[in-house]
Each structure stands twice: as structure tokens, then as C-alpha cells.
């Protein structure tokens, strides 16, 4: 499993299309699109997407390690990715995330912005389909994995949609929100299903729940103690990308993403340094970083800081800079 298969790319269009589409279900997409939505489109839409994304991804990741269905055999399949090869296959969490994010975005925006219903539906379908197909092209999932992931995500969306407003209200107003937002994800991370060998699923799950926890605390704090720096009413006539405020939107995004990435780098270095000192291991020791007592606090603290920074620190910085 550790060897690299050689392959020849015969169609560069498909190759780059599906490699790019695969990235739409990974951290690089989450850490850019979700904050962009919060900073530039609508706070309530971002909150709802983060709620759905964290729940769907947790269920998907845990399902992998409970079902333990193997990924496609290689050969005959050629695998274009290596990091996730140690994970099980069913369900495809790329398919789950793409379905959840695209259709929750569509459902949350269709009644708030003026755009054709058909256009939003087609965009959500195309986005999720490209990500699903990318998992087949890269050799990481079977057709059943992808269909199962998309269907599970669709069912969860149907079940969660009636409770969206209730959950959102509780996240903003309940005095127990900050405590529960931290304690519940931590309990879930520390009690993640145990495997016979190391898999990145626990670390990825901790990353997702940590980011959602930090963002949720930020949502609550903003609602309790600060006025909204910018709200959807600023963009009633349409999406910001087609408005006269495009320069402000781009500036907000680049300033925000720079601060978010700096936060991730700083917290990662500090937390790993502290844990390395406590548990007596060098920071570059990969095996030590995979231990439960190291991986969970390291990733949870790092990414909860990222979520908090994106929802509290960055908006305050935008206000300070007049953005």
C-alpha cells in the first residue's frame, strides 16, 4: 500500500478538473469558502452551513470507522492520492461534504437573494457532482461509496432543515452555548471509535469539530456583546461578487484569510511546543503527534482558535480598517 503506482495522464482536462474538484471537499476549501460567506455574504447563511457541515462530517467520519469497508483495490485502480489511503471507504465524506455545503447554501440563500431557482439548483448539483466524480477519477472510492455518501448527506439535510432556526436561535442566545460548544465536541473526539491501526479520520474529525466549536463560540459572543459589523442588508440587491463593492469584498477576504492562516500557524506551533514539553517528544515526531493525548488537544485547540478568529477577530479587524 505504501508504493506509488506509475501512471500516464492522457487527458489533462479531466485530470486537472477532477484534481481541482477533489480539493473542493478538503480543508483548503473549508478554510476559504466558509469564512468568505461569513465575512461577505450573510452571517446566518454561514452559521447554518457550519452547523450542517460539522454534523454531516462527524457522522460520515465515524461511519467509515464503524463500517470498515475497504477502499478500491490498487491495482487495478490507480490512486492519485496517498494521504487518505489509510482511511476506510464507505461513505465518501467528500461526497457528503459537497452535498451538504452546496445544497445548504442553496436552501439558505434562495429566499434571501434574487436569483433564478433553477440556477441555484443546477449550481448546487454541478458542484456536488464534480466532487463526487473526482473521488471516482482519483481512485479513492467506489460508486457505492459516493452514492452512499450523497444519500446520507441528503437525508441528514432533510432531517436538520426543520430544526435550523431553533438550533440557530439556541446557538446565539443560550447561556450554555459556549460551554456545550467546547465540551460536547471534545467528548466526541476523545471517544472516537478505536482502530487497529492509525487513520487520519480521528484527526480530521477533531479539526472539523474544533473549527465548528470555535466558530460557534464566536457566533454567541458576537450576538451577546457586539453589534453585527456587516449584515446581509448591505447586499440586498444580489451577491457581492456582482456588486460595486467587489474591491471591498476581495480586501475583506484577503485580509481575513491572512489572519486566519497566521492564527493556524501560530497556534499549531505553540500547542505542539507545549504538548512536546509535557509529553517529552520532539515536535517533528510524527508518531508521537498521532497519539490520542497529543492529536486531539493539538488539533482541537488549533482549529477552534481558527474558527474563533474567523468569526470574532477578523470582523473586528475589518471594522478597524474601515472594511
Amino acid at each position: 500500500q505504501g508504493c506509488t503506482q506509475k501512471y500516464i495522464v492522457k487527458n489533462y482536462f479531466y485530470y486537472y478538473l477532477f484534481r481541482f474538484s477533489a480539493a473542493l471537499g478538503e480543508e483548503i476549501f473549508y478554510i476559504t469558502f466558509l469564512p468568505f460567506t461569513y465575512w461577505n455574504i450573510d452571517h446566518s447563511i454561514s452559521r447554518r452551513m457550519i452547523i450542517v457541515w460539522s454534523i454531516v462530517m462527524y457522522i460520515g467520519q465515524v461511519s467509515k470507522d464503524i463500517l470498515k469497508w475497504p477502499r478500491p483495490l490498487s491495482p487495478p485502480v490507480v490512486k492519485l492520492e496517498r494521504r487518505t489511503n489509510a482511511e476506510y471507504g464507505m461513505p465518501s465524506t467528500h461526497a457528503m461534504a459537497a452535498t451538504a455545503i452546496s445544497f445548504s447554501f442553496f436552501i439558505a440563500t434562495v429566499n434571501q437573494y434574487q436569483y433564478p431557482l433553477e440556477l441555484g439548483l443546477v449550481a448546487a448539483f454541478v458542484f456536488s457532482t464534480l466532487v463526487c466524480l473526482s473521488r471516482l477519477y482519483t481512485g479513492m472510492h467506489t460508486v457505492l461509496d459516493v452514492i452512499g455518501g450523497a444519500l446520507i448527506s441528503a437525508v441528514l439535510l432533510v432531517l436538520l432543515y426543520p430544526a435550523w432556526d431553533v438550533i440557530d436561535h439556541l446557538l446565539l442566545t443560550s447561556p450554555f452555548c459556549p460551554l456545550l460548544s467546547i465540551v460536547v465536541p471534545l467528548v466526541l473526539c476523545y471517544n472516537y471509535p478505536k482502530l487497529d491501526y492509525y487513520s487520519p479520520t480521528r484527526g480530521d474529525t477533531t479539526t472539523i469539530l474544533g473549527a465548528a466549536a470555535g466558530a460557534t463560540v464566536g457566533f454567541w459572543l458576537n450576538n451577546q456583546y457586539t453589534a453585527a459589523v456587516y449584515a446581509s442588508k448591505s447586499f440586498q440587491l444580489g451577491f457581492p461578487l456582482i456588486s460595486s463593492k467587489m474591491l471591498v469584498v476581495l480586501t475583506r477576504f484577503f485580509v481575513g484569510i491572512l489572519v486566519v492562516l497566521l492564527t493556524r500557524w501560530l497556534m499549531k506551533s505553540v500547542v505542539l511546543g507545549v504538548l512536546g514539553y509535557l509529553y517529552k517528544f520532539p515536535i517533528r515526531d510524527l508518531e508521537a503527534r498521532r497519539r490520542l493525548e497529543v492529536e486531539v488537544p493539538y488539533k482541537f485547540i488549533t482549529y477552534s482558535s481558527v474558527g474563533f478568529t474567523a468569526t470574532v477577530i477578523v470582523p473586528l479587524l475589518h471594522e478597524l480598517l474601515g472594511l
Side-chain angles (χ1 to χ4, degrees), residues 99-122:
T99 303
I101 288 178
S102 59
F103 281 94
S104 61
F105 182 81
F106 165 67
I107 294 168
T109 59
V110 69
N111 293 322
Q112 294 195 42
Y113 294 91
Q114 295 180 358
Y115 66 87
L117 175 68
E118 296 79 6
L119 176 62
L121 196 57
V122 168

Side-chain angles (χ1 to χ4, degrees), residues 281-298:
F281 69 87
I283 292 179
R284 297 185 181 276
D285 187 343
L286 185 59
E287 289 302 316
R289 287 163 56 174
R290 289 175 170 178
R291 286 154 43 189
L292 175 68
E293 65 272 21
V294 175
E295 184 176 58
V296 170
Y298 143 55

